[in-house]
Amino acid sequence: MQLANCPLCHSDHNKTEQAADANDDSNFPALEDLLAAGTITIIVHSKGVSCSATDNNSWRLLPVAREPSKRPQDPLLWGIGFLVDNLFLRATCKLDRSGQVLLIRVYLIPHDLPSVQERLRCRNAVVIKEGRRYLHSTLSLVSRSPRLWNAEEPILSWESDHFLPRKLDNRTMAEIYSDLDSPVVPPTCVPLARDVAEGKPVWGLRSHLYSYQRRSVAVMIEKELSPLPVPDPLYVAVTSVRGEQYYFQPSTMTTLRETPMVAPGRGGILCEELGTGKTIMILALILSTAAQIPQPEESMVDSRPVLTPLAYQHFTLPECTTARTRAGRGPSDVYGIPSLVEILLHCISSRSQASSWCEYENSLESTNLWPLLRSNVPFYHHYDLNLAAEIFGSSRPRSQPELGPRVMYLSAATLIVVPLTLLGQWDREIQKHCHSKVRVFIVRQADVLPAARILATEYDLIVMSDVRFRRESRNKKISRLHALRQCACSCFEGSRVPNCRCPGDTQVTPLLQVRWKRLVVDEGHISGNVSATINYFVKQLSIERKWIVTGTPTSNMLGLSLGRTTEGQETDLSGLHNSGSNSDCNTPEPTPPSMDSSIRIWGRYDSDNLRKLGTMITDFLAIPQFHTDRKSFGVLVSSPLCVRQGPQPFATNILSQVMRVVMIRHRVQDLEQDIVLPPMKHEIVYMDLSEYALKSYNAMQASIAINAIDSERQGPDYVFHSTRAKELQNAMDNLSQGMFWSASNILYNVDQICEEAQSFRARALQRQIPKEEYELLEGALSHAAAAANDTLWRAIQRHEDVPFKVTGLDSSIYEAWTRGDLKTTSREVDLMHSNRLVELRNFVYARPLISPQNLICEGIQLNAEEARRLKQEPSQTREVTHAGTVKSVTDVFKEEIETSKRKAKLARSSRVPGQTEDSVESGCLASESQPCLPNIQLLQSSPLSGVRVGPSLSTKLNYILTEAIQYSADEKILIFSKSPLTLAHVAEGLTLFGVKYLRYTCDMQPALREHAVMTFESSDCYRLFLIELKLGARGLNLVSASRVIFCEPVWHPDVESQAIKRAHRIGQLNRIIVKTLVIRCTAEEAMLDRRQYLSYREQMPKMTTESGMRQFMENPRFLNLVSCEPEQLSMPLIDARASGLIRGSENDSAAGVDVERLEPACIYEGQRDGSSKQKRVKFAENN
């Protein structure tokens, strides 16, 4: 800062700091009571400037004119004058020895200073607003250097440590989250928390807790039970130049001498890393506090004593008498003096105990005390004054009686709300970790909730799905609960405890009549949505403690770091490039953007995540500090971070402190001191399309190319137009499906393209398109013609199943049993669909001595029945006119997706001979039941004795079958795909090769999905689990599997990591092998490149909007056939079932499949590029 003259001429220079302190002006506090913030230096340019004060070595009060017109016109000094005059700060000044530098000491006035508190509260809003603005500009210039404070020479050479830090804090929200400290059990914690932290057994818990789990549970107990206030997270600790500690709020510019304390929240967010046992932590929390009952909800205008039915009706205690009178209950003649047993019944029911009285259930059941204790449910009366005002209006007539009380039962139970897909998972985890004496109620969709008093007293845990929870939220007419008649049930014989059988109001959910001790929401990040139904209903429930359980609190906070250290260089996706011989593609190597030192700006994505976090804290958890002032989180936490110029000073510190108050999570390095997960190896397996799959892929690319050229890459007819995002997504999904296997009964419009070929050429020449565009058009027409003229390819497209190569099958039997036009093609190669091969094999197993002629007749009859069924299905019509040409080649993508869905449904609904009705009704939960294997000698005389099944036309399917045959005897395998049709193809292949599997897909009922998970984890029979990615990537515990295969690359890395975490988690003892199947030189390889390129970004954009992927898709590339050795996968058709029937036993083998242990079958060609290693796969022929 520079001035043309010294400002000391505006006031009395002789008033030193000591004189100021001794001054009798009571308007200003003493300097020693203020926060010594630091020093401002101002260069004075006028020559010969001197101070007229008598003592040039002393500091004097900065002269400030009372009248604004007499103040210096310099903005800084004007602002300081305003701040001094309005009691924001005090300042002293001094010229250095040269007279060229003016030093100004700045003292901030604490708001809790007794001498100024009253005056600070009287400042108007305009003064406060202006004061904050001037304070921000002034404090940004204040240096905290002690040497500068003491005016030590040379003045301008000291390094500045500013009061408002200028050091850039460019941490993202995810990095702040990762930097949170691990929870520490305070030395003055409540006794129960100390017992858990020290490892004392938890009642009802069977499993052992790791030390980090004990710490987390202990801190959770401390948060729930400790009545002590906590430091306000909105204030940061600052140190004065004199070494004193103060507390500063950067948004309001408020300074305090004492630590500001706020009421603690009784709950928080348990956000430990994925796979670290959050479920068992919650169970330990619940069981360790099982004997505690909640206190009545606090009220400022109403007294709410804890009552019991016995005390309410028969005790003469003051609170009981007052409650009866207010509720309008008439006097009773059976009050009397309570007996000792009655006093004990009342005390046990209405007070939290050291241990649950359920532990003594067996002893009490032999007496008559047990039913009395169960029926004496504690409660309180809730009078809703706001509801009464809504019903009767603000001026209620005196004749109108007061609205009756709502009876609220105090429950020691914990209500747990989980996603529907995880309901069975929680059931299994409870059975695994808890003793049978723990009372659990798993609320299924069809279950009817019992009365409120039963919910409140009969269970320790009540688990329901979020779907059921939302359904209960519809029945929320609370006013009906205030109109319920008081209980008049008779008492137990020989006792004064009422035997209540009141049914309650069936039109109101009983959840609203219980004061819950605790609510736990699993995968609770959904509560961050402002419009979430769960938030609205939770506000109406009466809950003492609330917990959110999630590994991903917001979309950029991902608990995926534990166990990320992997084996081998195959896991490094950087540097992946095209190394194959598919010559028409050339994907450039991406280079991540350089990171400069400029400040990071928090954008809309960060703002959305802050809003979600604020909603969880303010609305769901209802942390008192933020719940009472709902705008405080946005004003004091979010807004300072999302300023256009970058985060304000201390803004990231404030966010970190707020997170630390509500979140419980361990740092990865602390977790790894207790647990070490097995190593994980991730391989990217590159492969090429087979001949006929490649023709289908090129046909789809031809449609895209012709659409781009004919529409001139603009207008609504262009499939990549900005208004056609849905069509673009359909195109990408269709291409992705084609890289596994797809078939089109409209032949991808190649016939129509060929018919209009000359028109396309003519329009292109007329518009004089560039040479490269014309070459692309010619390539598209050429590939479309190649597919259209291939009779076998046309025949393959007539059915959705993947064809398998078959050898040794009699021509007549082949023609009778194969489908459609496959039988009319040349006999160069025999192709049959997998389900037809299974049908044929099952038929021979059932009748091993059938003659070839009868077998032919059965095949003809089967084809005829299928043809009749297909005729009954509605046929699809398409536009074939010239005017619809461009539209049809773009609409083909949407139609193919719908066709795929229809085919997948048809594949699931079709049933082969030998498949039981139960397996069909269960939604194809598992591979079909196997018929009894006939005598091997009879099979040797069968017409199929020499038939062998070879590889399919899907390269990916062949690889999966090879992996299944090689490893399923010793390891279980998870197979993920985003496409149900892909999983259907895999299922058919596994059925053909005799490998048992289970499915977990969206079309299955939730109960069947639960059964599938339980069966896979507990049974050695089923070795593969086919999982739809969007359904199974969260929450499941599948540690019995040690291999994971992704049928296609996953665009979002966090989704991929969460899917891997289903197996790579606590409880896993085996090394994890993960493989992602990628077709070389296609969008799949480009996806991996772009994913690595975007890895520095917090938010992964949609694949349809990401510039690199759009560029790749907008410029279609055709693949050339790669000559490789024929696949070796082969098995005898009629004896492969033997290995399938005994799979899972100790003597399991793959004797019926010729894979030579599959070591020579898969040739891996490793190439190094930088630090990455690629694997190329070919199948070698076994001659």
Side-chain angles (χ1 to χ4, degrees):
M1 184 68 192
Q2 298 180 353
L3 285 179
N5 210 330
C6 178
L8 298 184
C9 60
H10 292 280
S11 182
D12 181 11
H13 306 300
N14 298 322
K15 193 176 292 184
T16 65
E17 286 188 357
Q18 291 79 10
D21 292 344
N23 189 15
D24 59 355
D25 187 356
S26 60
N27 290 329
F28 296 97
L31 295 181
E32 63 265 16
D33 295 331
L34 308 184
L35 166 58
T39 312
I40 298 177
T41 58
I42 301 177
I43 301 176
V44 181
H45 283 285
S46 298
K47 295 182 180 181
V49 175
S50 62
C51 181
S52 60
T54 58
D55 186 3
N56 291 334
N57 294 323
S58 61
W59 292 81
R60 290 162 296 279
L61 287 176
L62 184 70
V64 176
R66 291 291 184 179
E67 298 181 13
S69 59
K70 297 182 179 180
R71 291 176 185 168
Q73 297 303 310
D74 179 79
L76 173 63
L77 296 178
W78 173 278
I80 294 177
F82 178 89
L83 295 173
V84 171
D85 195 34
N86 290 280
L87 292 179
F88 286 95
L89 57 79
R90 296 196 71 182
T92 61
C93 60
K94 175 184 179 180
L95 281 172
D96 71 337
R97 294 179 181 177
S98 66
Q100 298 299 307
V101 178
L102 175 65
L103 303 177
I104 300 178
R105 284 179 176 178
V106 175
Y107 299 83
L108 295 179
I109 300 178
H111 282 55
D112 55 352
L113 197 64
S115 59
V116 296
Q117 280 183 341
E118 183 177 352
R119 284 178 287 169
L120 295 183
R121 286 195 296 266
C122 295
R123 292 185 301 204
N124 60 51
V126 176
V127 171
I128 293 175
K129 182 178 180 181
E130 287 295 303
R132 290 173 181 173
R133 183 169 65 87
Y134 285 131
L135 272 175
H136 187 276
S137 59
T138 301
L139 294 180
S140 62
L141 300 174
V142 172
S143 171
R144 300 176 66 250
S145 170
R147 291 179 177 270
L148 196 59
W149 179 266
N150 296 322
E152 297 182 12
E153 300 288 345
I155 296 298
L156 300 180
S157 64
W158 302 118
E159 295 182 0
S160 296
D161 177 17
H162 291 86
F163 184 85
L164 296 182
R166 296 184 179 181
K167 183 179 179 181
L168 297 181
D169 187 351
N170 277 341
R171 289 183 298 169
T172 65
M173 193 172 177
E175 291 169 339
I176 296 172
Y177 173 73
S178 299
D179 290 341
L180 295 180
D181 295 330
S182 297
V184 177
V185 182
T188 58
C189 64
V190 296
L192 181 58
R194 186 183 303 109
D195 292 343
V196 172
E198 293 175 353
K200 292 186 179 181
V202 176
W203 174 85
L205 190 66
R206 178 186 292 120
S207 302
H208 171 75
L209 294 175
Y210 290 101
S211 58
Y212 77 88
Q213 292 173 332
R214 292 197 302 269
R215 286 193 299 271
S216 293
V217 175
V219 172
M220 294 170 75
I221 293 174
E222 178 70 13
K223 282 183 174 293
E224 288 190 345
L225 302 183
S226 176
L228 300 177
V230 297
D232 191 338
L234 299 178
Y235 282 79
V236 293
V238 295
T239 304
S240 71
V241 177
R242 298 184 294 219
E244 303 160 329
Q245 183 163 302
Y246 290 80
Y247 298 90
F248 181 69
Q249 211 303 307
S251 295
T252 61
M253 294 291 170
T254 303
T255 306
L256 299 176
R257 295 189 305 170
E258 303 294 334
T259 306
M261 307 298 285
V262 294
R266 304 191 69 177
I269 305 175
L270 178 62
C271 47
E272 296 282 11
E273 291 281 315
L274 291 175
T276 54
K278 292 186 290 295
T279 301
I280 192 175
M281 295 182 200
I282 290 296
L283 294 177
L285 172 67
I286 293 171
L287 298 179
S288 61
T289 58
Q292 300 173 3
I293 62 171
Q295 294 300 310
E297 193 171 354
E298 294 183 358
S299 174
M300 299 291 293
V301 297
D302 198 13
S303 175
R304 296 173 178 175
V306 178
L307 308 171
T308 60
L310 172 63
Y312 176 64
Q313 294 192 16
H314 304 293
F315 284 15
T316 57
L317 296 173
E319 59 266 24
C320 298
T321 303
T322 303
R324 287 193 297 266
T325 303
R326 186 175 184 184
R329 189 179 183 89
S332 173
D333 55 356
V334 291
Y335 291 146
I337 299 176
S339 66
L340 179 60
V341 172
E342 290 177 337
I343 294 175
L344 289 175
L345 286 174
H346 172 69
C347 292
I348 292 174
S349 299
S350 60
R351 299 179 184 177
S352 296
Q353 308 297 322
S355 59
S356 175
W357 47 263
C358 295
E359 298 182 38
Y360 309 101
E361 179 177 352
N362 294 334
S363 302
L364 292 173
E365 279 186 338
S366 60
T367 69
N368 61 351
L369 295 178
W370 179 249
L372 304 182
L373 194 57
R374 291 179 57 187
S375 299
N376 202 35
V377 184
F379 67 92
Y380 69 92
H381 282 168
H382 180 99
Y383 289 91
D384 196 331
L385 303 182
N386 294 329
L387 182 62
E390 292 178 8
I391 296 176
F392 303 123
S394 57
S395 56
R396 177 173 61 89
R398 294 184 179 181
S399 59
Q400 177 65 48
E402 184 181 25
L403 192 65
R406 172 168 43 137
V407 177
M408 298 294 294
Y409 296 100
L410 301 175
S411 175
T414 295
L415 179 62
I416 304 177
V417 179
V418 305
L420 180 61
T421 57
L422 301 183
L423 190 64
Q425 179 77 24
W426 270 86
D427 191 6
R428 290 186 295 276
E429 292 294 305
I430 291 171
Q431 295 180 32
K432 179 171 69 174
H433 297 302
C434 301
H435 291 292
S436 57
K437 57 187 175 183
V438 178
R439 304 168 301 166
V440 181
F441 181 23
I442 306 295
V443 184
R444 307 289 178 179
Q445 291 299 96
D447 290 343
V448 177
L449 288 181
R453 67 178 182 280
I454 298 177
L455 280 177
T457 190
E458 294 293 325
Y459 306 104
D460 298 310
L461 292 86
I462 300 173
V463 187
M464 67 171 57
S465 69
D466 53 355
V467 176
R468 178 60 185 270
F469 190 72
R470 292 187 183 96
R471 199 173 82 191
E472 291 296 325
S473 69
R474 302 170 190 165
N475 305 323
K476 53 184 179 182
K477 296 181 180 179
I478 298 179
S479 59
R480 298 179 63 92
L481 297 178
H482 289 270
L484 288 178
R485 297 168 58 182
Q486 296 194 40
C487 176
C489 298
S490 60
C491 298
F492 284 94
E493 184 177 356
S495 171
R496 293 196 296 176
V497 176
N499 184 14
C500 182
R501 294 293 182 268
C502 298
D505 194 325
T506 57
Q507 298 185 28
V508 184
T509 174
L511 301 180
L512 289 169
Q513 208 172 348
V514 177
R515 168 67 169 169
W516 297 99
K517 177 173 66 180
R518 184 185 294 111
L519 171 66
V520 176
V521 179
D522 192 15
E523 300 298 339
H525 50 273
I526 59 173
S527 62
N529 187 350
V530 177
S531 61
T533 306
I534 189 172
N535 280 347
Y536 289 111
F537 191 40
V538 166
K539 291 178 184 177
Q540 295 180 310
L541 295 177
S542 180
I543 305 166
E544 186 178 72
R545 317 167 193 179
K546 301 174 188 174
W547 288 98
I548 291 173
V549 181
T550 178
T552 55
T554 63
S555 56
N556 59 355
M557 298 181 188
L558 307 176
L560 302 171
S561 300
L562 181 63
R564 290 295 286 271
T565 302
T566 56
E567 289 186 352
Q569 296 176 339
E570 294 84 358
T571 58
D572 186 3
L573 298 184
S574 63
L576 294 181
H577 66 92
N578 168 38
S579 59
S581 54
N582 260 324
S583 58
D584 281 1
C585 64
N586 183 20
T587 304
E589 185 76 17
T591 303
S594 59
M595 302 298 292
D596 57 25
S597 59
S598 61
I599 192 166
R600 177 184 177 275
I601 305 299
W602 289 52
R604 181 176 179 180
Y605 175 67
D606 302 288
S607 178
D608 290 342
N609 282 302
L610 286 169
R611 177 187 54 78
K612 292 176 183 178
L613 179 63
T615 302
M616 284 189 278
I617 293 175
T618 303
D619 294 337
F620 181 83
L621 295 175
I623 302 299
Q625 179 181 15
F626 299 101
H627 187 65
T628 53
D629 183 4
R630 296 179 181 275
K631 295 182 179 180
S632 60
F633 188 90
V635 173
L636 302 179
V637 181
S638 298
S639 296
L641 288 164
C642 299
V643 179
R644 288 185 178 182
Q645 294 77 19
Q648 294 294 306
F650 298 115
T652 53
N653 303 68
I654 296 294
L655 176 60
S656 178
Q657 292 178 171
V658 171
M659 287 183 179
R660 193 176 297 116
V661 167
V662 298
M663 293 182 177
I664 296 179
R665 70 180 303 271
H666 278 79
R667 289 186 175 183
V668 174
Q669 53 267 36
D670 296 328
L671 289 173
E672 291 175 342
Q673 295 178 4
D674 291 339
I675 58 170
V676 178
L677 294 182
M680 187 266 288
K681 182 179 182 181
H682 194 164
E683 301 176 6
I684 307 299
V685 182
Y686 287 85
M687 51 186 61
D688 299 302
L689 292 173
S690 66
E691 177 183 358
Y692 295 100
L694 182 140
K695 286 190 175 182
S696 297
Y697 177 84
N698 285 340
M700 287 186 279
Q701 291 287 75
S703 296
I704 295 176
I706 291 175
N707 169 260
I709 296 171
D710 208 52
S711 65
E712 300 183 82
R713 301 183 187 271
Q714 59 186 356
D717 286 337
Y718 182 37
V719 72
F720 292 98
H721 192 264
S722 57
T723 61
R724 307 196 63 179
K726 187 175 181 180
E727 286 81 357
L728 174 58
Q729 185 62 60
N730 288 338
M732 288 186 170
D733 291 342
N734 199 34
L735 282 172
S736 176
Q737 183 63 56
M739 283 178 267
F740 190 94
W741 180 260
S742 68
S744 170
N745 55 4
I746 57 174
L747 305 179
Y748 303 105
N749 274 356
V750 293
D751 289 340
Q752 187 175 355
I753 291 174
C754 292
E755 291 176 3
E756 302 290 338
Q758 294 304 322
S759 300
F760 290 136
R761 290 189 179 98
R763 286 194 293 273
L765 292 173
Q766 182 180 2
R767 291 197 297 263
Q768 297 181 351
I769 64 175
K771 178 182 178 181
E772 57 272 14
E773 288 283 271
Y774 193 83
E775 291 176 351
L776 178 62
L777 175 61
E778 287 294 337
L781 296 176
S782 174
H783 284 289
N789 296 329
D790 191 321
T791 56
L792 181 56
W793 180 84
R794 298 177 70 94
I796 291 171
Q797 302 305 310
R798 300 302 179 185
H799 198 273
E800 68 274 4
D801 289 347
V802 183
F804 283 78
K805 297 179 181 179
V806 181
T807 59
L809 185 60
D810 180 78
S811 298
S812 301
I813 298 177
Y814 170 78
E815 293 179 0
W817 277 83
T818 196
R819 280 193 179 98
D821 295 337
L822 289 178
K823 66 184 72 174
T824 62
T825 59
S826 66
R827 297 288 296 180
E828 182 177 333
V829 58
D830 288 344
L831 296 175
M832 287 188 69
H833 297 117
S834 56
N835 59 350
R836 276 302 174 88
L837 287 169
V838 172
E839 291 171 344
L840 177 60
R841 181 172 59 192
N842 288 346
F843 195 88
V844 172
Y845 279 147
R847 299 171 60 184
L849 298 180
I850 188 173
S851 65
Q853 188 60 40
N854 289 338
L855 193 59
I856 292 172
C857 293
E858 293 291 342
I860 294 174
Q861 181 179 356
L862 183 64
N863 272 329
E865 292 176 357
E866 184 176 275
R868 284 195 298 271
R869 186 175 71 248
L870 292 177
K871 286 183 179 180
Q872 296 175 358
E873 296 182 358
S875 59
Q876 298 183 356
T877 60
R878 292 190 48 79
E879 299 180 53
V880 294
T881 61
H882 173 73
T885 298
V886 174
K887 184 176 184 299
S888 64
V889 295
T890 56
D891 288 348
V892 66
F893 303 112
K894 181 177 179 180
E895 181 168 338
E896 287 305 316
I897 291 296
E898 297 301 322
T899 302
S900 297
K901 293 179 181 179
R902 180 183 59 81
K903 291 174 179 179
K905 183 177 180 180
L906 179 62
R908 291 191 296 268
S909 62
S910 61
R911 181 167 58 95
V912 300
Q915 185 178 8
T916 64
E917 292 291 340
D918 291 339
S919 63
V920 176
E921 292 177 359
S922 65
C924 298
L925 173 65
S927 48
E928 64 271 4
S929 57
Q930 313 287 356
C932 295
L933 190 66
N935 188 291
I936 192 64
Q937 295 180 352
L938 296 179
L939 290 177
Q940 290 176 352
S941 304
S942 166
L944 305 182
S945 59
V947 178
R948 299 188 68 84
V949 178
S952 72
L953 298 187
S954 170
T955 313
K956 289 187 177 182
L957 180 57
N958 292 336
Y959 186 87
I960 292 173
L961 294 177
T962 301
E963 291 280 298
I965 295 168
Q966 181 175 0
Y967 297 110
S968 62
D970 303 316
E971 303 179 68
K972 289 189 175 184
I973 305 174
L974 305 180
I975 299 179
F976 286 98
S977 176
K978 65 179 181 180
S979 167
L981 182 58
T982 293
L983 296 178
H985 291 325
V986 175
E988 291 176 346
L990 294 173
T991 300
L992 177 61
F993 280 78
V995 181
K996 289 192 174 182
Y997 62 89
L998 292 163
R999 292 194 311 111
Y1000 194 89
T1001 55
C1002 291
D1003 64 292
M1004 298 168 59
Q1005 293 295 325
L1008 295 176
R1009 292 199 294 261
E1010 294 176 17
H1011 179 65
V1013 174
M1014 182 174 60
T1015 303
F1016 182 77
E1017 284 294 287
S1018 59
S1019 172
D1020 287 335
C1021 181
Y1022 298 98
R1023 312 301 296 173
L1024 276 80
F1025 207 3
L1026 314 184
I1027 305 175
E1028 195 169 343
L1029 185 63
K1030 69 178 181 181
L1031 190 65
R1034 286 181 180 269
L1036 297 180
N1037 187 344
L1038 303 171
V1039 293
S1040 64
S1042 57
R1043 286 184 173 267
V1044 180
I1045 298 177
F1046 291 97
C1047 295
E1048 61 278 324
V1050 183
W1051 175 245
H1052 292 281
D1054 60 302
V1055 175
E1056 179 187 69
S1057 298
Q1058 292 192 58
I1060 296 172
K1061 283 293 182 180
R1062 300 311 102 217
H1064 195 221
R1065 58 196 297 122
I1066 287 182
Q1068 180 60 258
L1069 303 177
N1070 302 315
R1071 176 192 184 200
I1072 299 296
I1073 303 295
V1074 182
K1075 296 186 178 181
T1076 300
L1077 309 185
V1078 178
I1079 299 298
R1080 190 182 290 109
C1081 298
T1082 63
E1084 291 187 340
E1085 186 174 4
M1087 185 190 303
L1088 294 180
D1089 292 336
R1090 296 303 300 174
R1091 230 183 67 169
Q1092 176 62 24
Y1093 176 78
L1094 298 170
S1095 60
Y1096 72 97
R1097 297 182 58 175
E1098 292 180 73
Q1099 180 188 22
M1100 198 70 171
K1102 292 183 178 180
M1103 189 165 61
T1104 55
T1105 59
E1106 201 280 316
S1107 58
M1109 289 304 299
R1110 284 187 65 93
Q1111 182 180 8
F1112 186 92
M1113 294 290 294
E1114 290 174 1
N1115 297 276
R1117 299 166 173 83
F1118 300 105
L1119 303 182
N1120 293 333
L1121 183 63
V1122 176
S1123 59
C1124 59
E1125 300 177 4
E1127 297 90 337
Q1128 179 238 355
L1129 188 64
S1130 176
M1131 74 169 187
L1133 177 61
I1134 61 171
D1135 66 348
R1137 296 296 280 270
S1139 63
L1141 288 173
I1142 65 174
R1143 189 164 305 282
S1145 65
E1146 294 182 0
N1147 298 322
D1148 195 9
S1149 66
V1153 183
D1154 298 337
V1155 293
E1156 295 185 1
R1157 297 305 298 166
L1158 294 179
E1159 292 298 336
C1162 297
I1163 302 175
Y1164 296 92
E1165 300 178 359
Q1167 293 188 359
R1168 293 188 178 273
D1169 180 22
S1171 61
S1172 65
K1173 180 179 179 182
Q1174 299 185 126
K1175 286 202 168 184
R1176 301 176 56 199
V1177 177
K1178 296 182 180 179
F1179 290 91
E1181 184 178 13
N1182 181 20
N1183 293 325

